[in-house]
Amino acid sequence: MASPLKVCIVGSGNWGSAIARIVGNNARTLQHIATTVKMWVFEENINGRKLSDIINTEHENVKYLPGYKLPENVVAVPKLSDAAMGADLLVFVVPHQFIRKLCDEMLGCVSTRARGITLIKGIYEGPEGLKLISDIIREKMEIDVSVLMGANIANEVAAEKFCETTIGSRNVENGLLFKELLTTPNFRITVVDDADTVELCGALKNIVAVSAGFCDGLQCGDNTKAAVIRLGLMEMITFAKLFSKNGMVSTSTFLESCGVADLIATCYGGRNRRAAEAFVRTGKSIEVLEKEIFNGQKLQGPATSAEVYRILQQKCLVNRFPLFTAVYQICFEKRPVQEMISCLQSHPEDM
């Protein structure tokens, strides 16, 4: 009989801690999953105490998910190589900017039967163009990697409010294994094989959410915001079709939770929307707002817009994506936020 599968959660921010509540509770009841779940914590001092010690004694991430208890079998580990040692199932939930370095730190630590799932919403732009986060993990660690994306605002998941999510997996067996690890009556999961589109949806919707926040900051009204969401969805679909490795993108994937549902939820309730509204109202930079509003947690929308813009420049496609381009230029090139409306008025109809 095979030994129970050991789980490591790589990340412990707002979303990582919400997922740890689910994984920890499920690990107690699933016979083929080891009861103890290790969660890598980037060590910080909170009022003179180490965050990992607080989590392990009070069973609460008081900085990133206050008010929600973590199961006692979730153990915070401040050294990544220790957390990942012998792990069979890796759940990646960190800002996408750090994934290469973290993968390097885990090399040689994980089990030979290890497989992963990424909840990371972002992409990379490199010399070869677009690079998915799952591709980076897959290549660096030589493991199969599924993805999970959906309309999943972390605090609502932690509060056990009903929601849906989507797992994209090239290996259906692994997708179903992670579904079993992560599903609850109030966290409904669908598994699809269009994994790259699932992942792109999760990254690109954050750019659209920034533009929705700009609308709120400008007090444009619901009609304008609806137009932004629709045009943003069109750009998401076009981008996925242009940059899909095999040229095959299932439009039905955009009707899953990872697509239109996540887009709507993020444009009305997500951190990127909230920060973009504050950006307009206060005139403060994204970096300042990350510190003031989100305890230093990194926003993915502005960073992803920069990655996407460079990819579009490489391919001479900037003019086909006026909304994505406007978000980048407003965030990083001091383009007046009011000009976002003009990009809607001249948006190309034939995408």
Side-chain angles (χ1 to χ4, degrees):
M1 181 177 176
S3 57
L5 299 170
K6 297 178 182 178
V7 181
C8 172
I9 300 173
V10 183
S12 57
N14 184 237
W15 187 209
S17 297
I19 283 297
R21 281 169 52 84
I22 293 175
V23 174
N25 285 325
N26 284 349
R28 288 168 163 169
T29 60
L30 294 171
Q31 292 186 345
H32 58 287
I33 302 295
T35 303
T36 298
V37 173
K38 293 182 180 180
M39 178 174 71
W40 173 64
V41 173
F42 178 78
E43 194 68 280
E44 302 177 64
N45 284 315
I46 310 295
N47 298 323
R49 297 178 64 193
K50 292 180 178 179
L51 180 57
S52 61
D53 290 343
I54 296 172
I55 293 173
N56 288 333
T57 55
E58 299 177 16
H59 307 292
E60 182 181 347
N61 189 332
V62 295
K63 182 169 184 181
Y64 296 117
L65 193 67
Y68 296 97
K69 290 293 184 181
L70 296 170
E72 293 186 8
N73 59 318
V74 174
V75 178
V77 182
K79 187 175 180 182
L80 180 55
S81 58
D82 291 342
M85 186 61 64
D88 302 296
L89 302 178
L90 296 153
V91 181
F92 295 91
V93 53
V94 292
H96 80 278
Q97 299 93 321
F98 307 126
I99 193 61
R100 290 181 185 272
K101 177 177 179 291
L102 297 178
C103 284
D104 288 339
E105 290 182 30
M106 286 185 284
L107 288 177
C109 296
V110 302
S111 160
T112 55
R113 58 177 178 171
R115 65 218 88 169
I117 188 166
T118 170
L119 284 60
I120 301 169
K121 296 180 176 179
I123 57 174
Y124 266 106
E125 175 268 332
E128 70 278 27
L130 173 68
K131 196 87 165 177
L132 298 174
I133 302 301
S134 61
D135 288 334
I136 293 169
I137 300 170
R138 193 176 290 114
E139 292 170 9
K140 279 190 163 286
M141 301 194 67
E142 297 183 347
I143 62 174
D144 182 69
V145 184
S146 302
V147 300
L148 182 148
M149 306 286 157
N152 309 140
I153 294 171
N155 284 60
E156 294 185 13
V157 173
E160 299 180 17
K161 296 181 179 180
F162 176 79
C163 67
E164 298 179 310
T165 198
T166 310
I167 288 178
S169 186
R170 299 177 185 179
N171 182 311
V172 175
E173 183 180 346
N174 288 342
L176 293 173
L177 175 60
F178 280 110
K179 176 180 179 177
E180 189 177 22
L181 178 68
L182 294 163
T183 197
T184 77
N186 287 317
F187 196 63
R188 180 180 178 272
I189 298 174
T190 301
V191 179
V192 302
D193 60 7
D194 190 8
D196 289 357
T197 302
V198 172
E199 188 168 2
L200 280 173
C201 282
L204 298 175
K205 58 93 184 185
N206 281 327
I207 305 176
V208 186
V210 172
S211 65
F214 291 157
C215 282
D216 292 339
L218 293 168
Q219 296 182 302
C220 291
D222 288 335
N223 290 342
T224 304
K225 190 169 177 178
V228 163
I229 294 171
R230 187 189 75 83
L231 293 169
L233 178 61
M234 289 175 65
E235 292 193 13
M236 288 169 59
I237 294 171
T238 302
F239 189 94
K241 289 180 176 178
L242 285 171
F243 291 95
S244 171
K245 296 185 191 70
N246 55 18
M248 297 296 292
V249 171
S250 175
T251 304
S252 64
T253 303
F254 289 90
L255 300 179
E256 297 288 349
S257 181
C258 63
V260 67
D262 193 11
L263 180 62
I264 293 169
T266 310
C267 286
Y268 280 89
R271 285 182 297 180
N272 288 280
R273 185 221 63 80
R274 184 179 167 197
E277 181 180 11
F279 178 89
V280 177
R281 293 185 184 276
T282 68
K284 295 178 180 179
S285 69
I286 294 296
E287 293 78 11
V288 169
L289 293 170
E290 285 173 337
K291 293 175 183 175
E292 290 186 356
I293 304 177
F294 304 112
N295 283 326
Q297 290 192 99
K298 293 295 183 184
L299 294 164
Q300 297 303 302
T304 304
S305 76
E307 303 275 5
V308 165
Y309 184 74
R310 288 191 290 268
I311 292 167
L312 295 176
Q313 277 189 314
Q314 274 186 4
K315 304 294 184 181
C316 300
L317 291 169
V318 169
N319 291 338
R320 292 194 65 182
F321 296 86
L323 191 67
F324 287 178
T325 299
V327 169
Y328 165 75
Q329 292 174 337
I330 291 166
C331 288
F332 296 104
E333 295 186 348
K334 300 185 184 302
R335 182 177 179 179
V337 69
Q338 294 82 0
E339 290 188 11
M340 190 188 72
I341 304 305
S342 64
C343 89
L344 303 181
Q345 295 165 337
S346 61
H347 201 282
E349 295 182 10
D350 182 11
M351 299 289 288

